[in-house]
Amino acid sequence: MTGITDFDALRRAMAENSEEPEGPARNARAEQLLVEAEKLDIPLAVVEALGHQLKVYNYSSEKDKMFVPFARLLRMWDERPEDFDEYEVHSLHWVFKWMSSGMLGQPHIPLASIEKWLGEMEHRYRLAGHSERAVRSAEFSVASHIGDLARAERAYAAWLTADRDTMADCHACELHTQGEWQVQQERYAEALDLWEPVLGGEFTCAHEPHTVLASSLTPLLRLGRADEARAHHLRGFRLVRPMESMRGAYADHVEFCALSGNEARGLELLAERPAYFTDSGNPLSGLDFLSVVTLLMDRLTELGLGDQEVPGPAGRAWTARELAVHARAESLALAARFDARNGTPHIGDRVRARMDQRPLVERLPLGVRSAGRPAAAPVPTAAPEVIPEKDLTALLAEARHLSDTLQPHAVEAWLAVSRASEGVELSARDRAEIADHQAMDQGPEGIDLFEHAAELFAEAGDPGEAWAARARGAYVRALTGEIDEALVAIAEPYDGVLALYSEDGTGVRQTAAVLMSRARILMRRVHGESPEDSPSPAALTAAEAAVREVLALVEGQPLPGDVADVRLAARGAEGQAMLAELAVRAEDVETAVRLFSKASTAFVVAGLPWFAVEYEARLAGLAHHLGDVTEAERALRAALEHGGPYLEAPGRAQLHLQLAEVLGGRGRSEEAAEHALEAAHWSDEAGEGPTLGAWARHQLGGFLLRQGRWAEAAEVLESALPDLSVETHGDGAIVQTQWWLGDCLSELGEHRAAAERRLQAAEIARTWPEQNDHATLAHLAAESLGHAELPAEADRAYERAGDLWRSLGNVHGLVRSLRARAWLALRADLEDRGLDRARELMAGAIEECEAALLVTDDKEARQRLTGELGHTHRQFGELLARSVAEEAEDTAIQAAFEDALTQTAESVTVFAALGEGAVHTRTGAELAAGWLEADLSRPADAAARARGVLKAYEGADDGDETVRARRAEAEQLLQLMEEQTEK
């Protein structure tokens, strides 16, 4: 079944199993391997198989299984220590620590047994000559677990002062535990300071920075460092996701979602790990998980979503409210078992505190794809109370103030007046204003209501406002596309109000309202003409005349000082914006920019900045068209500032995205990422996550990648891909996202996944007329396949790339693909044709360079090709030198080194032809040749090369790192050769 017939085969099988994903399948394989080990009748084989079993149990959901194999190992050690080699002796003592922490996580194991075990560990470590550092660390874990603060502080201090030895946990794990203690004492900043070397990559291990990133999330939120928390979540969750044993860290990420307004993502996390609800091998991590499930479900219930279906334990459907009750009961029951075992209420107190936390951030955008925050269920409202007349008077005053000063929410204020006035006797004027604003709120359905309002204004003795109401109705008709009907409808109000105004029968405000409605209708006619064609001269002329008529009426009026003046100032500003639109239609961009700027400024001066948003956005687009990115940036920032809280989600998303693209184009990727993040968030809020949001995430991923934030970028780009479509975003966006994602995965060491992304992108690019991207992606995919230890697949991909480079006439790409294939051939088969094939490929690369040089006259191109030729000779030499094993016969080694020296010396000659610009590459090759001369027992020749390098750097800048490195290496080679000569 296993094919294991000897110890070496067993070791290979255990090594392979160690690379498998954590979980029951890997554990089951370890159990089979122990059976096979017992058949070999080799005591050390059984010891190693038991140690392997212990390791996979410890890093799995079946942590409770590790006590039995450890007891057997310990018994074997006590009975026959000679059966253990040095490594297994070390491993046996190392896993004492696992037993200690493992017992704490099992509430059925008595505290007395744990204390006894701690003493046993201390005794055995002392006998083995180990420091007490690991023992005091274990004692600290026991004391902090049961809440014995005084003992924990003593053990903590003793742990830190004890000497580090081979039994101490790695620096990363120690710092994680130390930081966790600071968090328990609510010393969040101190914890983050302790964790900084782990977060910064100075100390890492198989499970760090995974757990530190997870543990840092809530402390960062509590300290107001939300941006760092977001980054740690995106970076850390990628690490935790595939590791079954990290349920506690996974719980930290769910907790973060519940505390940062990302409840929808929290549900997605629960759905990814259904087994976490019921895995029983590590009750302590189960308690962590159920606690945050309770927190999240309570939060959803509080938001009015208690009846929403949510992921839960298998076997039935769960609502948020039901799961909240279940998880809380399970958490408290499990905590009670720990407290009963420990004799303290510490665990229960901590669990209750964790479950009852309040959100720390109302909503923290993450940038990743999300269903958006679940909408709260509608809450029934009581019937409105009858409002006394004096309150209605106040409501009327407030509504008139808002509408007269063009404030946001004026229509809503009039609706409040309408509701409050039911059953109340009102004047015709009051009723007219209510009807007028109801018509505005109803849009196309309000046309008849405008007529009713006009009748009421006339009844109230205000014929000018009556004409204005009819004019508003005509404009609404134009908004429905009935331009000709609207022009007919505006004719009578236009003539009527001008006649009234000439007789002082109405004011500037009413007259301007009618003239502006007419101008708007004529502008709609301009916009309504075919976008492929320029507007007709007649339409442009009529619209411009109407706008200038408005401006002639309102210009010269007093600056804003009373309520009427605000409206007139707004008419003037809108008129300037209309002229700007007409200038755009006439392709007079410079005039359009000037007029849009004038309109925006006028709105701001009038105290109406929210009206300036549209025009600043137009300014940004025109400035970008003119190549003035500074002005485009200014305009977009102004639009966001002017819009303030009144910008609706779609508009806010568009502005942030445009600003992100401008900033990214200026190389300011960090700030660009902030705006792309906002764009993604507001797109989701607007319900445009799959369209605008996907594009924002695509951009965000690119900006994060530019900053080297590979894990965050990968998470965002993976989140964008499902929504990117050829129809909406274009295949170029999909290829670029896959390309970026492949780059991120490559940097993260996920080479197989990187290859898949790059091959997917290459397959799309294969159909493009221009094939350079196809070739580049095929080449990158080949690199990833090689790093993923898939040489045959890598060779095929390099061959495909080489064919593409050849068809494109790109000699450099072709040569590099050939060199890469040569190295693959050498690594794949040293004993058969591998070396012959590698030689053929390297020789082919040299031929391609030389052939291209024969037909190239361009000086710069010749320089580059000569450099490529030099690098190829240099790599050929390295390949030949590495083609023989150390244990090969002397004659074989001698022959290989001679051939390698020939190629390396040729590279020196080629680089020398490039002059001073290639001094570093030449001296590097010179030193490589020198070391080969030394290996071939030619000290004089090697020394001569070393002296040549030193001469090349006479008078060179010592501040240059390469200069210092070359000199040091040359001096080392020269000294060794002189010593050999003296002997």
Side-chain angles (χ1 to χ4, degrees):
M1 180 178 67
T2 63
I4 295 174
T5 58
D6 56 47
F7 201 174
D8 287 341
L10 175 69
R11 283 174 165 165
R12 285 195 300 272
M14 290 190 294
E16 291 170 2
N17 195 43
S18 293
E19 297 302 316
E20 292 298 310
E22 296 177 350
R26 186 171 74 157
N27 295 352
R29 177 61 174 153
E31 291 162 4
Q32 292 173 358
L33 291 174
L34 176 59
V35 173
E36 295 296 323
E38 290 169 336
K39 294 177 182 176
L40 297 177
D41 196 26
I42 301 173
L44 183 58
V46 176
V47 169
E48 291 188 12
L50 284 166
H52 174 64
Q53 195 178 84
L54 259 173
K55 181 178 179 180
V56 299
Y57 282 157
N58 186 61
Y59 295 117
S60 78
S61 60
E62 298 178 312
K63 202 178 182 79
D64 55 336
K65 288 186 175 183
M66 67 181 178
F67 301 109
V68 172
F70 181 75
R72 182 177 174 187
L73 261 180
L74 193 58
R75 185 172 64 253
M76 290 174 69
W77 165 253
D78 288 338
E79 293 173 354
R80 291 180 57 84
E82 65 273 16
D83 289 343
F84 289 68
D85 63 14
E86 183 179 354
Y87 178 81
E88 291 305 324
V89 172
H90 177 273
S91 297
L92 175 70
H93 286 81
W94 182 268
V95 296
F96 267 85
K97 299 181 294 181
W98 294 357
M99 295 304 108
S100 177
S101 62
M103 288 179 179
L104 281 178
Q106 305 292 332
H108 69 277
I109 298 179
L111 186 60
S113 298
I114 297 173
E115 294 285 6
K116 181 180 178 182
W117 178 255
L118 191 60
E120 179 75 7
M121 177 182 174
E122 182 172 11
H123 171 68
R124 292 196 180 247
Y125 271 41
R126 188 181 301 114
L127 287 177
H130 296 306
S131 163
E132 67 171 10
R133 187 178 183 93
V135 177
R136 297 285 76 82
S137 173
E139 181 187 7
F140 163 76
S141 297
V142 173
S144 61
H145 173 78
I146 66 177
D148 187 340
L149 180 61
R151 184 186 180 192
E153 291 285 10
R154 290 194 303 272
Y156 186 87
W159 166 26
L160 267 58
T161 56
D163 292 336
R164 283 190 59 84
D165 67 352
T166 58
M167 282 299 113
D169 283 342
C170 74
H171 286 288
C173 289
E174 284 202 334
L175 288 173
H176 175 242
T177 306
Q178 292 163 20
E180 281 283 278
W181 178 240
Q182 302 303 320
V183 170
Q184 287 186 39
Q185 308 310 307
E186 299 184 359
R187 297 191 287 258
Y188 305 119
E190 290 86 342
L192 290 162
D193 287 343
L194 278 168
W195 289 334
E196 184 54 39
V198 183
L199 296 170
E202 181 180 350
F203 299 129
T204 61
C205 70
H207 288 76
E208 293 296 353
H210 313 44
T211 56
V212 164
L213 285 164
S215 297
S216 71
L217 296 172
T218 300
L220 284 169
L221 289 179
R222 292 193 182 282
L223 291 172
R225 293 158 62 176
D227 289 344
E228 292 173 73
R230 175 199 303 112
H232 287 196
H233 171 64
L234 294 178
R235 178 183 163 201
F237 188 66
R238 287 189 66 80
L239 298 173
V240 169
R241 179 188 278 132
M243 304 185 77
E244 184 204 44
S245 66
M246 303 194 74
R247 179 164 55 177
Y250 201 98
D252 290 338
H253 285 277
V254 176
E255 177 182 47
F256 163 79
C257 293
L259 297 178
S260 63
N262 286 286
E263 297 86 0
R265 181 165 172 83
L267 292 177
E268 292 169 5
L269 266 57
L270 296 187
E272 284 191 34
R273 283 290 188 182
Y276 276 175
F277 285 99
T278 52
D279 283 345
S280 59
N282 185 2
L284 193 57
S285 74
L287 181 56
D288 288 334
F289 185 74
L290 289 171
S291 298
V292 300
V293 168
T294 305
L295 172 68
L296 179 60
M297 294 306 119
D298 281 348
R299 180 64 183 147
L300 289 170
T301 303
E302 182 181 338
L303 290 170
L305 294 158
D307 294 328
Q308 177 174 319
E309 188 169 329
V310 295
R316 55 160 290 187
W318 295 89
T319 66
R321 183 178 293 104
E322 291 168 342
L323 186 55
V325 173
H326 169 81
R328 181 175 289 272
E330 290 289 308
S331 297
L332 292 176
L334 191 49
R337 290 178 60 200
F338 277 105
D339 285 344
R341 189 271 303 273
N342 298 338
T344 71
H346 182 65
I347 298 297
D349 290 345
R350 289 188 59 195
V351 165
R352 290 182 184 86
R354 190 173 198 181
M355 292 190 297
D356 296 340
Q357 291 177 98
R358 301 299 304 153
L360 299 172
V361 180
E362 182 178 350
R363 184 74 190 274
L364 177 61
L366 300 179
V368 292
R369 185 171 180 249
S370 172
R373 187 180 215 160
V379 179
T381 56
E385 298 178 5
V386 177
I387 301 176
E389 188 174 348
K390 62 179 182 179
D391 291 329
L392 177 58
T393 301
L395 286 173
L396 271 168
E398 176 65 15
R400 284 183 177 130
H401 170 74
L402 291 174
S403 57
D404 287 342
T405 56
L406 301 178
Q407 299 296 307
H409 310 310
V411 171
E412 290 87 340
W414 280 105
L415 289 175
V417 170
S418 176
R419 288 192 297 268
S421 65
E422 291 180 8
V424 179
E425 188 68 29
L426 294 175
S427 68
R429 176 76 190 193
D430 293 342
R431 287 182 284 126
E433 290 182 84
I434 291 171
D436 196 28
H437 286 90
Q438 283 178 334
M440 295 179 197
D441 182 54
Q442 291 180 17
E445 288 75 31
I447 293 175
D448 292 339
L449 198 51
F450 276 120
E451 289 296 322
H452 178 58
E455 293 170 358
L456 290 170
F457 277 123
E459 181 183 337
D462 191 344
E465 201 62 58
W467 288 125
R470 287 197 171 94
R472 285 189 280 273
Y475 174 57
V476 170
R477 191 178 295 278
L479 291 176
T480 67
E482 299 177 359
I483 305 295
D484 293 338
E485 292 84 348
L487 286 170
V488 171
I490 196 65
E492 185 179 6
Y494 174 70
D495 292 337
V497 81
L498 287 178
L500 267 178
Y501 183 64
S502 67
E503 299 169 356
D504 294 329
T506 192
V508 173
R509 176 178 168 183
Q510 289 79 7
T511 307
V514 175
L515 296 186
M516 181 54 78
S517 291
R518 181 170 177 270
R520 288 171 177 169
I521 292 170
L522 290 167
M523 289 296 295
R524 292 295 299 181
R525 184 170 68 170
V526 169
H527 289 299
E529 297 200 8
S530 173
E532 289 81 13
D533 302 321
S534 298
S536 65
L540 287 170
T541 300
E544 182 177 353
V547 173
R548 294 196 180 281
E549 188 176 20
V550 174
L551 292 173
L553 177 67
V554 301
E555 283 177 353
Q557 298 295 329
L559 291 174
D562 57 48
V563 292
D565 294 335
V566 175
R567 282 188 175 274
L568 294 181
R571 301 295 186 208
E574 186 178 354
Q576 298 294 340
M578 287 177 167
L579 292 178
E581 290 283 2
L582 293 171
V584 171
R585 286 284 179 164
E587 299 183 357
D588 185 355
V589 179
E590 288 79 4
T591 297
V593 167
R594 177 177 57 79
L595 290 171
F596 274 132
S597 180
K598 188 174 180 180
S600 176
T601 301
F603 275 122
V604 174
V605 169
L608 306 169
W610 46 89
F611 285 111
V613 173
E614 176 185 354
Y615 307 120
E616 292 288 3
R618 292 300 307 278
L619 268 173
L622 294 173
H624 210 274
H625 174 75
L626 293 171
D628 188 349
V629 291
T630 300
E631 172 59 15
E633 179 186 339
R634 183 213 62 77
L636 289 166
R637 290 188 187 280
L640 284 166
E641 179 184 352
H642 295 331
Y646 306 116
L647 262 178
E648 294 186 357
R652 192 178 295 276
Q654 287 278 8
L655 290 171
H656 276 297
L657 185 54
Q658 290 175 48
L659 184 53
E661 291 171 345
V662 169
L663 291 168
R666 306 188 75 181
R668 289 151 62 183
S669 57
E670 187 169 341
E671 191 178 0
E674 294 174 4
H675 287 282
L677 175 67
E678 289 293 323
H681 166 68
W682 289 108
S683 297
D684 290 340
E685 291 292 304
E688 296 184 16
T691 51
L692 186 63
W695 182 255
R697 279 182 264 282
H698 160 82
Q699 294 282 12
L700 174 58
F703 296 137
L704 291 171
L705 178 143
R706 290 187 202 176
Q707 298 172 59
R709 295 160 67 176
W710 315 112
E712 296 168 64
E715 196 75 8
V716 170
L717 292 167
E718 286 174 345
S719 175
L721 271 174
D723 288 326
L724 289 172
S725 68
V726 173
E727 297 75 18
T728 303
H729 307 96
D731 58 1
I734 298 172
V735 168
Q736 184 63 79
T737 302
Q738 298 273 27
W739 193 329
W740 281 338
L741 183 52
D743 290 347
C744 292
L745 295 171
S746 179
E747 292 288 343
L748 293 169
E750 300 176 34
H751 298 298
R752 187 184 291 263
E756 290 175 3
R757 295 301 185 180
R758 287 166 167 174
L759 288 170
Q760 288 166 0
E763 187 60 23
I764 299 173
R766 182 178 61 82
T767 64
W768 292 356
E770 207 289 314
Q771 287 289 284
N772 192 69
D773 285 341
H774 182 200
T776 303
L777 284 162
H779 199 112
L780 289 170
E783 287 182 5
S784 294
L785 289 165
H787 289 306
E789 303 298 331
L790 297 169
E793 293 85 343
D795 183 71
R796 286 195 295 272
Y798 274 125
E799 185 176 17
R800 172 185 175 186
D803 291 343
L804 289 165
W805 291 130
R806 189 187 299 280
S807 70
L808 290 166
N810 188 323
V811 178
H812 299 278
L814 172 59
V815 166
R816 290 168 188 176
S817 67
L818 289 168
R819 292 199 307 242
R821 292 179 67 196
W823 283 107
L824 283 171
L826 182 68
R827 287 199 297 269
D829 190 358
L830 281 173
E831 297 179 359
D832 192 9
R833 274 201 81 245
L835 178 57
D836 292 341
R837 182 62 179 148
R839 282 176 173 272
E840 290 174 11
L841 289 163
M842 278 293 186
I846 290 171
E847 290 172 7
E848 294 291 345
C849 287
E850 292 175 340
L853 280 166
L854 290 174
V855 298
T856 302
D857 296 326
D858 181 81
K859 182 179 179 181
E860 184 178 344
R862 287 189 65 83
Q863 288 280 101
R864 290 186 62 219
L865 282 168
T866 301
E868 200 73 76
L869 177 60
H871 287 297
T872 305
H873 279 297
R874 172 74 190 276
Q875 284 199 33
F876 200 171
E878 290 179 9
L879 181 144
L880 292 168
R882 296 182 189 181
S883 65
V884 287
E886 291 182 5
E887 62 271 15
E889 294 181 1
D890 289 345
T891 54
I893 294 175
Q894 179 90 5
F897 281 13
E898 289 284 5
D899 288 348
L901 179 58
T902 300
Q903 292 295 334
T904 308
E906 184 64 27
S907 75
V908 173
T909 303
V910 173
F911 287 136
L914 293 173
E916 287 302 311
V919 63
H920 291 332
T921 51
R922 178 176 67 79
T923 55
E926 192 86 68
L927 286 167
W931 289 112
L932 285 167
E933 302 270 24
D935 288 333
L936 290 166
S937 300
R938 299 169 187 168
D941 293 338
R945 292 191 183 276
R947 292 190 187 96
V949 171
L950 290 173
K951 183 175 178 58
Y953 288 117
E954 286 180 355
D957 180 12
D958 282 335
D960 187 313
E961 185 178 344
T962 304
V963 171
R964 292 198 306 274
R966 292 282 194 273
R967 279 177 174 162
E969 188 178 352
E971 288 168 355
Q972 179 190 16
L973 176 59
L974 183 59
Q975 182 180 352
L976 287 171
M977 295 305 98
E978 288 176 344
E979 290 173 356
Q980 284 187 20
T981 303
E982 291 172 2
K983 291 178 182 179

